[in-house]
Amino acid sequence: MSTRRRATSRCFTIIEVVLSSLVVSVLLVASLNLVSRVRASEASMERRRDARRMAEGLLAIVAAQRFTEPDASGTRRTVIGTDESESLSVPASLDDVDDFAGAIWSPDDVAAWIEPPADRVGTWRIGISVGYVDPMRPSVSSGAVTTAKSVTVTVRRNTVVLESLSAVRSQGVAP
Amino acid sequence: MTQNRGSAYVAVLGASMLVAVIGMAALTAVRADRVEALSDEDIAQAKANAISAGELATGWITTTPTFRSAYAGMRSAPGLMNAGGFAMPMGTASIELVDNSDGALDNEDYDVVLVRSIGRSGTAQQMFDVVLQPKGIALPILSNAVTTPGRIQVDSGQLEVIGGAAVSGGSTGSVSGSQGSFVGGTIMPPTAVVNRYANLGVAISPGVTMERHVLTTGFSSFGAPSAEGVYVITTTNDLVIRSVRVEGTLVIRAPGRRVTLSGQLFMTPARPDFPALVIDCHTLELAYDSAFDGRLVALSEFAAGANFNPPGAPWGGNTNSTNFDVYPSDIRGLVYTTGRVEATDYSLIRGALIVAEPAGDSVKIAGRLRIIHDPGLVTDPPQWFTSAVTMSVQPGSWRQRVN
């Protein structure tokens, strides 16, 4: 009798097994869900880091250009956009701040300047806008020609804005 | 028996707790990562704002001659110089102008200006400094070898100018080199220039004769040296200066008196944007000997019985305690005097001479005076001998500042 009781006590009851399996199942589903979310979040953060790195790099490239380019007669050009013999499809041809206005590039277009993102899935686009601002109130756009230009670099992936950085260049000496 | 029952629950629940804790930790780590990434974005934008603000301030200062006086009023007005800051396209920024030389921005055009910019975005803040240095635009008369509104009279000997004209209200006698007429409207340095330099200097009291002395930025035979190399003599007596070496600017205030430079001496400014001599007197007599026209003349330590390159006052990079060195005997740089000039020996100036005395024969020659114009006076004019002062960024002075 005592031998039977000992044997019975060493085994799980069917209820124990069922409930344990239930808990383990719920745990497994929750764990897989969590892992999936963590991985997605990490990937998203990595993409944002890449976007910020590219935006910072390109903003530095644009900001390092001269403020404007004189024409053949030495007169300062005031129109925002590319000048003669320059094209947005040839980024290396751009040599003043406003030449970059309206650029929409893939990371491969500017691979000579910035390292492309690690995640190549999806459509990455880098857009640049340039416009005159009031040098005494740089948040205010100006329709007139001024001595300050605002440059904004926006990095998108599948049309979602991941990063947007802005700087203002003035006709003073660049850092 | 009952102790063993339910052990599966305990094991499973224990494992569940572990997995749950690990999961929560992972989620917390992801959240922290996300916060850090967003913070990095703010830092990048704040940095761009700080640099942009510094550049905007630089642009404003370099194109606004009245920036020193305008700044105080702009601190309370909306816009770039507002003390509370201003909006950028993304985020905000603020600017502060600092005059580290005397703390007062608007009292001196030649004080260096430190531009401190702060950029902000979200909770991030970044700071940059940049130094703007003054540079004068030379008065047109600095392209002349000699300028005086009075007349030049050469009684005997010769005035010789090389590389620049002798511009005066008229001349008689032997003047070699090009000449020009001093016309009305010609801008002369302000008479306050003497006191302005005097305010920068260290006072010395040589008595009626200054002899066997050395003055440089690192050494003064009168005592404490002047870091700018500016030494000031204020006297009510006539003054004679001979056998001296001055690597600096000598300011002499002897109104109504005669100042005589005689024997051998060597004077050159310590700074290219300072003159060699600034004098307020009745008559400056140039009676010192220089080497030209085959004359062998030098400032000799042995002859003078003095050491002109003691420790702290190197010549050609060398100092010693002997009396065997020799130096040129001439004045290099700008010489300015409010009174008249008399030249009675073989004297050489490698720079320019400005004689402000407007009446009569303001320059009288009874010997030889040779002036070789220094074009460096035009490209790097002495302070206050300028028509305007512009500010420009000191190369390499952009610095990120950390609290």
Side-chain angles (χ1 to χ4, degrees), chain B residues 202-344:
Chain B
V202 169
I204 56 174
S205 300
V208 295
T209 303
M210 179 175 165
E211 188 173 17
R212 293 191 290 271
H213 281 289
V214 183
L215 298 170
T216 71
T217 54
F219 181 88
S220 165
S221 46
F222 290 93
S226 159
E228 304 284 0
V230 181
Y231 294 91
V232 186
I233 299 169
T234 303
T235 180
T236 54
N237 300 310
D238 290 350
L239 176 68
V240 175
I241 299 174
R242 59 176 172 249
S243 296
V244 297
R245 177 184 165 225
V246 179
E247 189 174 311
T249 299
L250 193 58
V251 182
I252 301 170
R253 293 190 289 195
R257 310 306 302 186
R258 170 178 285 261
V259 175
T260 304
L261 308 182
S262 67
Q264 289 81 41
L265 47 79
F266 182 40
M267 296 181 173
T268 183
R271 290 175 48 158
D273 59 342
F274 277 18
L277 262 174
V278 180
I279 305 178
D280 177 14
C281 68
H282 179 272
T283 301
L284 168 64
E285 183 181 355
L286 303 178
Y288 62 94
D289 257 348
S290 298
F292 61 94
D293 279 358
R295 293 161 51 82
L296 296 173
V297 178
L299 173 63
S300 162
E301 291 183 345
F302 185 77
N307 177 19
F308 294 124
N309 63 334
W315 163 245
N318 298 315
T319 61
N320 57 43
S321 55
T322 65
N323 285 6
F324 301 117
D325 298 299
V326 292
Y327 307 81
S329 177
D330 55 39
I331 298 175
R332 300 178 179 187
L334 178 66
V335 177
Y336 170 83
T337 178
T338 59
R340 60 187 70 246
V341 164
E342 293 177 7
T344 57

Side-chain angles (χ1 to χ4, degrees), chain A residues 9-135:
Chain A
S9 70
R10 278 198 296 269
C11 298
F12 298 127
T13 65
I14 189 70
I15 293 170
E16 280 179 311
V17 170
V18 168
L19 286 177
S20 297
S21 300
L22 204 63
V23 169
V24 168
S25 302
V26 169
L27 197 63
L28 265 177
V29 170
S31 298
L32 286 173
N33 195 25
L34 183 67
V35 167
S36 169
R37 283 178 59 187
V38 167
R39 286 177 65 91
S41 185
E42 278 179 348
S44 169
M45 288 301 101
E46 195 57 41
R47 285 193 292 271
R48 291 186 81 100
R49 283 196 192 91
D50 273 345
R52 188 182 63 251
R53 179 180 51 74
M54 289 193 292
E56 270 190 288
L58 208 53
L59 190 65
I61 294 283
V62 178
Q65 306 299 318
R66 54 186 163 175
F67 185 79
T68 191
E69 181 180 11
D71 63 16
S73 67
T75 307
R76 177 187 159 199
R77 295 176 202 270
T78 55
V79 178
I80 298 285
T82 54
D83 307 305
E84 297 107 54
S85 72
E86 296 171 347
S87 168
L88 288 174
S89 60
V90 186
S93 69
L94 310 178
D95 60 2
D96 69 74
V97 170
D98 64 66
D99 289 346
F100 293 77
I104 299 175
W105 290 318
S106 75
D108 290 333
D109 293 334
V110 287
W113 288 333
I114 52 173
E115 191 181 333
D119 174 11
R120 306 307 299 270
V121 180
T123 306
W124 290 80
R125 287 289 177 267
I126 305 166
I128 301 176
S129 63
V130 181
Y132 286 112
V133 294
D134 181 345

Side-chain angles (χ1 to χ4, degrees), chain B residues 338-356:
Chain B
T338 59
R340 60 187 70 246
V341 164
E342 293 177 7
T344 57
D345 209 315
Y346 275 73
S347 302
L348 171 63
I349 296 173
R350 297 176 184 273
L353 173 65
I354 299 174
V355 182

Side-chain angles (χ1 to χ4, degrees), chain B residues 43 97 131 243:
Chain B
I43 289 170
L97 306 186
V131 175
S243 296

Side-chain angles (χ1 to χ4, degrees), chain B residues 95-186:
Chain B
I95 291 165
E96 184 186 7
L97 306 186
V98 180
D99 181 341
N100 280 330
S101 55
D102 58 13
L105 184 70
D106 61 349
N107 67 335
E108 180 48 63
D109 287 346
Y110 282 96
D111 283 348
V112 167
V113 174
L114 176 68
V115 177
R116 306 198 121 164
S117 59
I118 301 175
R120 300 178 187 86
S121 177
T123 56
Q125 176 172 290
Q126 296 281 295
M127 297 176 284
F128 274 80
D129 284 353
V130 61
V131 175
L132 299 186
Q133 58 191 6
K135 182 172 174 56
I137 298 171
L139 286 174
I141 61 168
L142 286 183
S143 59
N144 304 332
V146 179
T147 304
T148 181
R151 292 179 57 80
I152 296 174
Q153 169 145 358
V154 182
D155 295 328
S156 60
Q158 186 182 55
L159 169 64
E160 183 182 9
V161 290
I162 300 170
V167 174
S168 67
S171 69
T172 55
S174 175
V175 177
S176 169
S178 62
Q179 291 193 66
S181 296
F182 188 94
V183 296
T186 299

